[in-house]
Amino acid sequence: MIFAVWIPLLVPLLAVPTARRLAESLPPRAAAWLLAGCAAVLAACTVAALCLLTAAGALRLPPVAAFGHLERALRGTDAAVTVPAAPVAGALLALCACAVARRALRHRAELRTARRAADAHGRAGDLCVLPDAVPDAYALPGRPGRVVVTVGMLRALPPAEREALFAHERAHLAGRHHLFLLTAALAAACHPLLRGLRSPLAYALERWADESAASRVGDRQVTARAIGRAALAARTHTAAAPRPSTALAATTGPVPRRVAALLTPDRPAGRPRGRAAPVGHRLIAAALLACVTVSAAGAVDAAADLHRTVESAQGEPVGR
């Protein structure tokens, strides 16, 4: 356990840049699932490692061992490491729990505030129009989900581009993309290095919605113009009322890169050329799989070792 328990805490150093690199070569939907899944698994392994470190150190103290109904405190050659590491791991675990709870409560409060603001104005189906001259539009999740758009944004776009913009935001709602971002935010609260996955995840979600909108309206050029014109209109005005942090909008992210990807569907922006590219992608995917597997295996091995040590302290045969 003295070695295995540290693996989940160190693996994100390699896994995060590897996942970012691999996501660039995947279709948007696959990239979004990859990044969100990696964030969730690596965060879970981090929390497991912190729990194991805390428990291993605490159970070496006789009062704690007695409270846990052990016949004697845990023993082993790693006490010099686990005992001082336990309070640090416990403090980090408490900070993680507080950060996750605060982020979840903030997410809920933001959605409630945004929905109250939307409910105060007229609706047409899933479309809610705010009487604001500042151009803005975003997908507001909930039951039911709504596409929130301002009068300023409606004036900035011709009818065909409005439909493309609405299709983009509806794709966010249909795919429940806010849950992907929330997963990344909660994972980052557990391990700071996982913050590096949020930006590529947001880009993948926007590209996912871009492709869905282009398929829905049947014209990639109209969709590209809608995104570019909406982003330009939004950025040349003072910011509108703040939207929820997990509410996605077509005007966010690297818009020129997204527009270029829509106009060149045969080779998405950022995808390398050449015969060596598929081989390189497979190697990167294998490296990422190895990172995730090693992280999970480290947590499992550390848990099994702690279990055997606890059994020994209870006076039971190891492996019973």
Side-chain angles (χ1 to χ4, degrees), residues 10 14 23 32 40-41 47 51 60 84 126 138 142 162-163 180 208 211 216 221 245 252 259 268 291 316:
L10 299 176
L14 296 175
V41 172
V47 171
C51 289
R60 294 185 186 279
D126 65 346
Y138 58 90
R162 291 179 197 167
E163 291 303 318
F180 288 76
W208 181 352
E211 293 297 329
R216 181 68 179 269
Q221 291 187 350
S245 56
T252 59
V259 170
C291 288
E316 299 175 0

Side-chain angles (χ1 to χ4, degrees), residues 109-196:
E110 288 177 344
L111 289 184
R112 283 184 174 179
T113 301
R115 289 190 68 84
R116 281 197 297 266
D119 289 340
H121 303 284
R123 287 183 297 151
D126 65 346
L127 186 64
C128 177
V129 180
L130 302 181
D132 196 326
V134 177
D136 195 15
Y138 58 90
L140 180 60
R143 296 182 180 178
R146 297 175 186 174
V147 175
V148 179
V149 62
T150 64
V151 172
M153 182 62 78
L154 294 178
R155 292 173 178 170
L157 301 179
E161 295 177 12
R162 291 179 197 167
E163 291 303 318
L165 181 66
F166 297 158
H168 175 101
E169 305 302 348
R170 288 181 177 122
H172 283 317
L173 295 175
R176 302 184 68 79
H177 292 174
H178 68 289
L179 295 181
F180 288 76
L181 285 183
L182 182 60
T183 298
L186 297 180
C190 299
H191 199 305
L193 289 178
L194 297 180
R195 295 175 184 174

Side-chain angles (χ1 to χ4, degrees), residues 23-35:
E24 293 178 356
S25 64
L26 295 176
R29 183 191 298 263
W33 278 105
L34 170 78
L35 293 168

Side-chain angles (χ1 to χ4, degrees), residues 4 42 55 72 78 99 101 105 108 136 160 178-179 188 194 196 229-230 251 254 267 274 286 292 299:
L42 294 175
R72 59 181 181 271
D78 59 348
L105 292 174
R108 184 178 180 182
D136 195 15
H178 68 289
L179 295 181
L194 297 180
R229 199 190 305 271
T251 57
R267 190 178 79 89
V292 174

Side-chain angles (χ1 to χ4, degrees), residues 5-26:
V5 75
W6 302 102
I7 293 176
L9 304 178
L10 299 176
V11 162
L13 285 169
L14 296 175
V16 169
T18 304
R20 291 172 62 102
R21 183 67 179 273
L22 180 59
E24 293 178 356
S25 64
L26 295 176

